[in-house]
Amino acid sequence: MTAKIFDSHAHYNDGRFDSDREALLTELFAGPVSHILNCGTTYADSVKCLELARQWPGMVAAAGIHPENVEESVPEDLQRLKALWADPKVVAVGEIGLDYHWDTPRDLQHFYFEEQLKLAKELDMPVIIHDREAHGDTMELVRKYRPRGVMHCFSGSAEMAKELVELGMYVG
């Protein structure tokens, strides 16, 4: 028997899949893939993730505001996301975090990251954290809120990876 694959981080709701999404997902689920975790990057994008998850039995969703998308978000999106997180097909808060590579305002990134960490803690949900060139600030908030989940897009040191594991996180 061939082992099946769990695609633990995907963005199949992205517009680049519009022309062949159904064919691609049909092929994936008929072949090696048994489950997909499809991740949101904005409130609207998270809604699309949930819609896809409802269409495909092997798919679940994560809902969140990605650090590169904070400028197109408003604080009310956090409460709107809370409604999505109540859906059983939404299994994680994400993709959230900090990304200092681009010129996205750091104060906005920090605000949305911290608020989503608080909500994940309140709702007892795992997180999917994006950390790019923001290791110190990311670790400060991870230490403060001690979420459970995965550090996605990890590029930190071996010492940071060890600390994340000691804090109960997975590293990807």
Side-chain angles (χ1 to χ4, degrees):
M1 178 174 163
T2 303
K4 290 289 204 168
I5 296 168
F6 186 126
D7 184 348
S8 64
H9 192 102
H11 295 280
Y12 290 115
N13 45 298
D14 188 292
R16 291 175 281 194
F17 290 106
D18 286 351
S19 65
D20 65 349
R21 181 181 297 110
E22 187 168 337
L24 173 65
L25 291 173
T26 298
E27 184 178 338
L28 289 174
F29 284 122
V33 176
S34 63
H35 292 84
I36 295 172
L37 174 55
N38 203 43
C39 304
T41 58
T42 64
Y43 170 73
D45 190 55
S46 296
V47 169
K48 290 179 187 176
C49 284
L50 177 55
E51 289 170 356
L52 271 177
R54 287 176 175 160
Q55 292 172 19
W56 296 92
M59 185 179 285
V60 291
I65 299 170
H66 190 283
E68 293 174 32
N69 300 95
V70 295
E71 289 182 290
E72 58 193 275
S73 300
V74 294
E76 292 77 25
D77 287 343
L78 295 166
Q79 289 307 309
R80 296 175 358 162
L81 282 167
K82 208 171 177 181
L84 296 182
W85 293 322
D87 191 292
K89 289 289 272 187
V90 178
V91 298
V93 175
E95 178 175 357
I96 66 175
L98 300 173
D99 189 323
Y100 292 170
H101 182 75
W102 306 108
D103 291 330
T104 310
R106 291 181 182 188
D107 59 332
L108 271 180
Q109 290 186 54
H110 194 277
F111 168 77
Y112 282 103
F113 183 35
E114 185 165 21
E115 290 303 310
Q116 289 175 101
L117 285 172
K118 288 178 191 175
L119 289 167
K121 195 77 161 173
E122 174 187 322
L123 300 169
D124 192 30
M125 293 188 76
V127 296
I128 301 166
I129 298 176
H130 175 101
D131 168 31
R132 185 174 182 194
E133 298 176 18
H135 307 316
D137 291 344
T138 299
M139 286 304 295
E140 180 181 319
L141 289 171
V142 168
R143 286 181 197 113
K144 181 177 180 179
Y145 291 100
R146 301 183 65 92
R148 60 187 174 91
V150 65
M151 182 70 72
H152 166 74
C153 187
F154 180 76
S155 62
S157 66
E159 294 78 20
M160 182 179 168
K162 183 178 180 200
E163 182 178 358
L164 286 166
V165 170
E166 288 170 356
L167 289 169
M169 299 281 295
Y170 292 95
V171 178

PDB file of all heavy atoms in Angstrom, residues 4 20-33 36 56:
ATOM      1  N   LYS A   4      -0.035   7.839   1.949  1.00  0.00           N
ATOM      2  CA  LYS A   4      -0.663   9.066   1.480  1.00  0.00           C
ATOM      3  C   LYS A   4       0.052  10.271   2.078  1.00  0.00           C
ATOM      4  O   LYS A   4       0.685  10.191   3.124  1.00  0.00           O
ATOM      5  CB  LYS A   4      -2.149   9.095   1.879  1.00  0.00           C
ATOM      6  CG  LYS A   4      -2.996   8.097   1.125  1.00  0.00           C
ATOM      7  CD  LYS A   4      -3.148   8.520  -0.315  1.00  0.00           C
ATOM      8  CE  LYS A   4      -4.398   7.927  -0.934  1.00  0.00           C
ATOM      9  NZ  LYS A   4      -4.698   8.529  -2.211  1.00  0.00           N
ATOM     10  N   ASP A  20      -7.395  25.963 -13.314  1.00  0.00           N
ATOM     11  CA  ASP A  20      -7.283  24.504 -13.234  1.00  0.00           C
ATOM     12  C   ASP A  20      -7.427  23.945 -11.818  1.00  0.00           C
ATOM     13  O   ASP A  20      -7.074  22.798 -11.561  1.00  0.00           O
ATOM     14  CB  ASP A  20      -5.955  24.052 -13.833  1.00  0.00           C
ATOM     15  CG  ASP A  20      -4.741  24.542 -13.053  1.00  0.00           C
ATOM     16  OD1 ASP A  20      -4.900  25.409 -12.170  1.00  0.00           O
ATOM     17  OD2 ASP A  20      -3.631  24.054 -13.335  1.00  0.00           O
ATOM     18  N   ARG A  21      -7.964  24.742 -10.893  1.00  0.00           N
ATOM     19  CA  ARG A  21      -8.055  24.314  -9.496  1.00  0.00           C
ATOM     20  C   ARG A  21      -8.800  22.997  -9.334  1.00  0.00           C
ATOM     21  O   ARG A  21      -8.327  22.080  -8.664  1.00  0.00           O
ATOM     22  CB  ARG A  21      -8.720  25.401  -8.649  1.00  0.00           C
ATOM     23  CG  ARG A  21      -8.844  25.053  -7.177  1.00  0.00           C
ATOM     24  CD  ARG A  21      -9.525  26.162  -6.379  1.00  0.00           C
ATOM     25  NE  ARG A  21      -8.745  27.385  -6.420  1.00  0.00           N
ATOM     26  CZ  ARG A  21      -9.103  28.492  -7.071  1.00  0.00           C
ATOM     27  NH1 ARG A  21     -10.263  28.532  -7.726  1.00  0.00           N
ATOM     28  NH2 ARG A  21      -8.337  29.557  -7.055  1.00  0.00           N
ATOM     29  N   GLU A  22      -9.976  22.887  -9.943  1.00  0.00           N
ATOM     30  CA  GLU A  22     -10.775  21.681  -9.761  1.00  0.00           C
ATOM     31  C   GLU A  22     -10.062  20.450 -10.313  1.00  0.00           C
ATOM     32  O   GLU A  22     -10.008  19.407  -9.656  1.00  0.00           O
ATOM     33  CB  GLU A  22     -12.150  21.826 -10.414  1.00  0.00           C
ATOM     34  CG  GLU A  22     -13.040  20.647 -10.094  1.00  0.00           C
ATOM     35  CD  GLU A  22     -14.494  20.869 -10.468  1.00  0.00           C
ATOM     36  OE1 GLU A  22     -14.937  22.020 -10.568  1.00  0.00           O
ATOM     37  OE2 GLU A  22     -15.168  19.851 -10.635  1.00  0.00           O
ATOM     38  N   ALA A  23      -9.478  20.565 -11.477  1.00  0.00           N
ATOM     39  CA  ALA A  23      -8.755  19.433 -12.068  1.00  0.00           C
ATOM     40  C   ALA A  23      -7.549  19.061 -11.211  1.00  0.00           C
ATOM     41  O   ALA A  23      -7.283  17.879 -10.984  1.00  0.00           O
ATOM     42  CB  ALA A  23      -8.322  19.772 -13.495  1.00  0.00           C
ATOM     43  N   LEU A  24      -6.830  20.061 -10.750  1.00  0.00           N
ATOM     44  CA  LEU A  24      -5.643  19.805  -9.919  1.00  0.00           C
ATOM     45  C   LEU A  24      -6.023  19.098  -8.624  1.00  0.00           C
ATOM     46  O   LEU A  24      -5.415  18.088  -8.254  1.00  0.00           O
ATOM     47  CB  LEU A  24      -4.930  21.116  -9.616  1.00  0.00           C
ATOM     48  CG  LEU A  24      -3.771  21.029  -8.624  1.00  0.00           C
ATOM     49  CD1 LEU A  24      -2.635  20.187  -9.185  1.00  0.00           C
ATOM     50  CD2 LEU A  24      -3.290  22.408  -8.243  1.00  0.00           C
ATOM     51  N   LEU A  25      -7.027  19.629  -7.924  1.00  0.00           N
ATOM     52  CA  LEU A  25      -7.422  19.014  -6.650  1.00  0.00           C
ATOM     53  C   LEU A  25      -7.994  17.615  -6.856  1.00  0.00           C
ATOM     54  O   LEU A  25      -7.734  16.710  -6.054  1.00  0.00           O
ATOM     55  CB  LEU A  25      -8.404  19.920  -5.911  1.00  0.00           C
ATOM     56  CG  LEU A  25      -7.804  21.222  -5.382  1.00  0.00           C
ATOM     57  CD1 LEU A  25      -8.879  22.130  -4.807  1.00  0.00           C
ATOM     58  CD2 LEU A  25      -6.710  20.958  -4.351  1.00  0.00           C
ATOM     59  N   THR A  26      -8.743  17.424  -7.931  1.00  0.00           N
ATOM     60  CA  THR A  26      -9.266  16.091  -8.246  1.00  0.00           C
ATOM     61  C   THR A  26      -8.115  15.108  -8.431  1.00  0.00           C
ATOM     62  O   THR A  26      -8.123  14.002  -7.887  1.00  0.00           O
ATOM     63  CB  THR A  26     -10.141  16.135  -9.512  1.00  0.00           C
ATOM     64  OG1 THR A  26     -11.257  16.996  -9.262  1.00  0.00           O
ATOM     65  CG2 THR A  26     -10.635  14.750  -9.897  1.00  0.00           C
ATOM     66  N   GLU A  27      -7.092  15.541  -9.175  1.00  0.00           N
ATOM     67  CA  GLU A  27      -5.925  14.687  -9.415  1.00  0.00           C
ATOM     68  C   GLU A  27      -5.150  14.413  -8.125  1.00  0.00           C
ATOM     69  O   GLU A  27      -4.742  13.280  -7.860  1.00  0.00           O
ATOM     70  CB  GLU A  27      -5.010  15.356 -10.440  1.00  0.00           C
ATOM     71  CG  GLU A  27      -3.812  14.518 -10.825  1.00  0.00           C
ATOM     72  CD  GLU A  27      -2.938  15.187 -11.876  1.00  0.00           C
ATOM     73  OE1 GLU A  27      -3.425  16.068 -12.609  1.00  0.00           O
ATOM     74  OE2 GLU A  27      -1.754  14.819 -11.938  1.00  0.00           O
ATOM     75  N   LEU A  28      -4.966  15.449  -7.306  1.00  0.00           N
ATOM     76  CA  LEU A  28      -4.228  15.269  -6.049  1.00  0.00           C
ATOM     77  C   LEU A  28      -4.932  14.285  -5.129  1.00  0.00           C
ATOM     78  O   LEU A  28      -4.308  13.369  -4.591  1.00  0.00           O
ATOM     79  CB  LEU A  28      -4.037  16.610  -5.338  1.00  0.00           C
ATOM     80  CG  LEU A  28      -3.058  17.587  -5.966  1.00  0.00           C
ATOM     81  CD1 LEU A  28      -3.090  18.919  -5.233  1.00  0.00           C
ATOM     82  CD2 LEU A  28      -1.658  17.012  -5.975  1.00  0.00           C
ATOM     83  N   PHE A  29      -6.235  14.479  -4.941  1.00  0.00           N
ATOM     84  CA  PHE A  29      -6.966  13.605  -4.027  1.00  0.00           C
ATOM     85  C   PHE A  29      -7.137  12.191  -4.585  1.00  0.00           C
ATOM     86  O   PHE A  29      -7.260  11.235  -3.818  1.00  0.00           O
ATOM     87  CB  PHE A  29      -8.314  14.207  -3.645  1.00  0.00           C
ATOM     88  CG  PHE A  29      -8.220  15.320  -2.635  1.00  0.00           C
ATOM     89  CD1 PHE A  29      -8.711  16.583  -2.913  1.00  0.00           C
ATOM     90  CD2 PHE A  29      -7.628  15.101  -1.398  1.00  0.00           C
ATOM     91  CE1 PHE A  29      -8.622  17.617  -1.977  1.00  0.00           C
ATOM     92  CE2 PHE A  29      -7.528  16.112  -0.457  1.00  0.00           C
ATOM     93  CZ  PHE A  29      -8.029  17.377  -0.748  1.00  0.00           C
ATOM     94  N   ALA A  30      -7.141  12.044  -5.900  1.00  0.00           N
ATOM     95  CA  ALA A  30      -7.219  10.703  -6.501  1.00  0.00           C
ATOM     96  C   ALA A  30      -5.867   9.993  -6.424  1.00  0.00           C
ATOM     97  O   ALA A  30      -5.802   8.774  -6.514  1.00  0.00           O
ATOM     98  CB  ALA A  30      -7.670  10.801  -7.957  1.00  0.00           C
ATOM     99  N   GLY A  31      -4.816  10.763  -6.233  1.00  0.00           N
ATOM    100  CA  GLY A  31      -3.469  10.208  -6.202  1.00  0.00           C
ATOM    101  C   GLY A  31      -2.883  10.161  -4.813  1.00  0.00           C
ATOM    102  O   GLY A  31      -3.464   9.579  -3.895  1.00  0.00           O
ATOM    103  N   PRO A  32      -1.751  10.826  -4.634  1.00  0.00           N
ATOM    104  CA  PRO A  32      -0.985  10.649  -3.404  1.00  0.00           C
ATOM    105  C   PRO A  32      -1.467  11.449  -2.196  1.00  0.00           C
ATOM    106  O   PRO A  32      -1.040  11.186  -1.079  1.00  0.00           O
ATOM    107  CB  PRO A  32       0.417  11.115  -3.807  1.00  0.00           C
ATOM    108  CG  PRO A  32       0.156  12.166  -4.848  1.00  0.00           C
ATOM    109  CD  PRO A  32      -1.032  11.654  -5.613  1.00  0.00           C
ATOM    110  N   VAL A  33      -2.347  12.409  -2.393  1.00  0.00           N
ATOM    111  CA  VAL A  33      -2.712  13.318  -1.298  1.00  0.00           C
ATOM    112  C   VAL A  33      -4.025  12.882  -0.648  1.00  0.00           C
ATOM    113  O   VAL A  33      -5.031  12.680  -1.320  1.00  0.00           O
ATOM    114  CB  VAL A  33      -2.825  14.776  -1.808  1.00  0.00           C
ATOM    115  CG1 VAL A  33      -3.310  15.708  -0.706  1.00  0.00           C
ATOM    116  CG2 VAL A  33      -1.482  15.253  -2.354  1.00  0.00           C
ATOM    117  N   ILE A  36      -5.371  18.146   2.854  1.00  0.00           N
ATOM    118  CA  ILE A  36      -4.726  19.428   2.565  1.00  0.00           C
ATOM    119  C   ILE A  36      -5.182  20.440   3.600  1.00  0.00           C
ATOM    120  O   ILE A  36      -6.383  20.554   3.884  1.00  0.00           O
ATOM    121  CB  ILE A  36      -5.101  19.955   1.163  1.00  0.00           C
ATOM    122  CG1 ILE A  36      -4.563  19.032   0.072  1.00  0.00           C
ATOM    123  CG2 ILE A  36      -4.583  21.382   0.958  1.00  0.00           C
ATOM    124  CD1 ILE A  36      -5.057  19.367  -1.337  1.00  0.00           C
ATOM    125  N   TRP A  56     -14.338  20.106  -0.619  1.00  0.00           N
ATOM    126  CA  TRP A  56     -13.440  18.968  -0.728  1.00  0.00           C
ATOM    127  C   TRP A  56     -13.325  18.270   0.636  1.00  0.00           C
ATOM    128  O   TRP A  56     -12.793  18.832   1.583  1.00  0.00           O
ATOM    129  CB  TRP A  56     -12.052  19.430  -1.190  1.00  0.00           C
ATOM    130  CG  TRP A  56     -12.097  20.012  -2.566  1.00  0.00           C
ATOM    131  CD1 TRP A  56     -12.270  21.327  -2.901  1.00  0.00           C
ATOM    132  CD2 TRP A  56     -12.007  19.307  -3.791  1.00  0.00           C
ATOM    133  NE1 TRP A  56     -12.290  21.482  -4.257  1.00  0.00           N
ATOM    134  CE2 TRP A  56     -12.129  20.248  -4.837  1.00  0.00           C
ATOM    135  CE3 TRP A  56     -11.833  17.967  -4.119  1.00  0.00           C
ATOM    136  CZ2 TRP A  56     -12.079  19.883  -6.176  1.00  0.00           C
ATOM    137  CZ3 TRP A  56     -11.781  17.606  -5.463  1.00  0.00           C
ATOM    138  CH2 TRP A  56     -11.905  18.556  -6.464  1.00  0.00           C
TER     139      TRP A  56
END
